[in-house]
């Protein structure tokens, strides 16, 4: 009977050890299951974040393409406007040059009679140094020299 008690105790200990191992394994399975659920939730959160970032990036890229097209269009409009203005001013210069040439020819025809006339743009050498300085400073000459 003593042998039976010892065998029963060793079976009970073996059973208890087996139950203990099963309980530990069960706790590990529960821990891994919880960990897996946490990681799955994190992965889903990252996936949503990546999807949001991808949509935002795609929208920004579309905005950039729209902006680039608009800048290109404005550049072309400005280029055309500048070319138009350049052409206009070149034409105006040609007209003015022709007018100056025409006036020069008329001056030559009028001859020496026009040489003694002073225009407002000619330098008057009859002015004193002080009067000349006043003219440069925007003051009109006084009538004191004309008596």
């Amino acid at each position: 009977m003593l042998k039976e008690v010892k065998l029963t105790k060793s079976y009970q200990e073996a059973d208890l050890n087996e139950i203990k191992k099963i309980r530990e394994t069960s706790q590990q399975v529960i821990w891994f299951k919880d960990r897996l659920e946490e990681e799955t939730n994190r992965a889903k959160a990252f996936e949503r974040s990546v999807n949001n970032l991808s949509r935002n990036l795609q929208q920004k890229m579309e905005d950039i393409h729209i902006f680039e097209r608009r800048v290109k269009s404005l550049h072309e409009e400005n280029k055309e406007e500048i070319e138009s203005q350049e052409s206009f001013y070149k034409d105006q210069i040609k007209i003015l040059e022709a007018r100056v040439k025409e006036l020069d020819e008329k001056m030559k025809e009028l001859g020496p009679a026009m040489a003694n006339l002073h225009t407002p743009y000619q330098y008057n050498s009859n002015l004193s140094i002080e009067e000349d300085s006043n003219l440069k400073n925007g003051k009109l000459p006084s009538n004191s020299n004309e008596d």
Side-chain angles (χ1 to χ4, degrees), residues 57-68:
L57 177 61
Q58 185 177 5
Q59 182 61 45
K60 296 299 178 196
M61 294 298 287
E62 288 173 15
D63 291 347
I64 288 171
H65 289 300
I66 290 168
F67 180 75
E68 286 175 340

Side-chain angles (χ1 to χ4, degrees), residues 43-102:
K44 287 178 183 177
F46 282 132
E47 186 177 359
R48 284 190 303 271
S49 179
V50 166
N51 287 338
N52 288 338
L53 288 173
S54 293
R55 278 193 301 274
N56 288 341
L57 177 61
Q58 185 177 5
Q59 182 61 45
K60 296 299 178 196
M61 294 298 287
E62 288 173 15
D63 291 347
I64 288 171
H65 289 300
I66 290 168
F67 180 75
E68 286 175 340
R69 286 193 301 267
R70 181 71 179 135
V71 166
K72 196 173 196 175
S73 172
L74 288 172
H75 175 72
E76 289 299 320
E77 288 175 18
N78 287 340
K79 185 177 175 182
E80 290 171 6
E81 178 66 24
I82 287 171
E83 288 172 354
S84 172
Q85 287 181 0
E86 183 179 21
S87 174
F88 171 79
Y89 287 115
K90 282 182 179 180
D91 291 344
Q92 292 299 310
I93 289 171
K94 287 177 185 176
I95 291 169
L96 290 173
E97 286 174 342
R99 181 72 177 135
V100 166
K101 186 176 179 180
E102 181 184 317

Side-chain angles (χ1 to χ4, degrees), residues 3-132:
K3 257 186 174 180
E4 254 182 64
V5 173
K6 282 186 180 185
L7 279 174
T8 308
K9 275 190 177 183
S10 64
Y11 282 129
Q12 285 176 348
E13 284 177 13
D15 286 344
L16 285 175
N17 284 339
E18 195 63 34
I19 290 171
K20 199 178 197 182
K21 285 182 185 178
I22 290 172
R23 194 176 287 150
E24 286 175 3
T25 303
S26 177
Q27 287 176 348
Q28 286 180 343
V29 166
I30 291 169
W31 183 84
F32 280 120
K33 184 180 174 185
D34 290 344
R35 179 83 176 162
L36 177 63
E37 188 177 333
E38 288 173 14
E39 292 299 321
T40 301
N41 289 338
R42 286 181 61 193
K44 287 178 183 177
F46 282 132
E47 186 177 359
R48 284 190 303 271
S49 179
V50 166
N51 287 338
N52 288 338
L53 288 173
S54 293
R55 278 193 301 274
N56 288 341
L57 177 61
Q58 185 177 5
Q59 182 61 45
K60 296 299 178 196
M61 294 298 287
E62 288 173 15
D63 291 347
I64 288 171
H65 289 300
I66 290 168
F67 180 75
E68 286 175 340
R69 286 193 301 267
R70 181 71 179 135
V71 166
K72 196 173 196 175
S73 172
L74 288 172
H75 175 72
E76 289 299 320
E77 288 175 18
N78 287 340
K79 185 177 175 182
E80 290 171 6
E81 178 66 24
I82 287 171
E83 288 172 354
S84 172
Q85 287 181 0
E86 183 179 21
S87 174
F88 171 79
Y89 287 115
K90 282 182 179 180
D91 291 344
Q92 292 299 310
I93 289 171
K94 287 177 185 176
I95 291 169
L96 290 173
E97 286 174 342
R99 181 72 177 135
V100 166
K101 186 176 179 180
E102 181 184 317
L103 290 173
D104 279 346
E105 289 174 6
K106 283 186 180 179
M107 288 292 286
K108 286 178 186 175
E109 289 174 8
L110 291 174
M114 294 299 292
N116 293 331
L117 293 177
H118 296 290
T119 65
Y121 302 106
Q122 290 177 320
Y123 176 72
N124 187 347
S125 60
N126 296 331
L127 294 176
S128 68
I129 293 175
E130 182 179 305
E131 289 172 324
D132 187 42

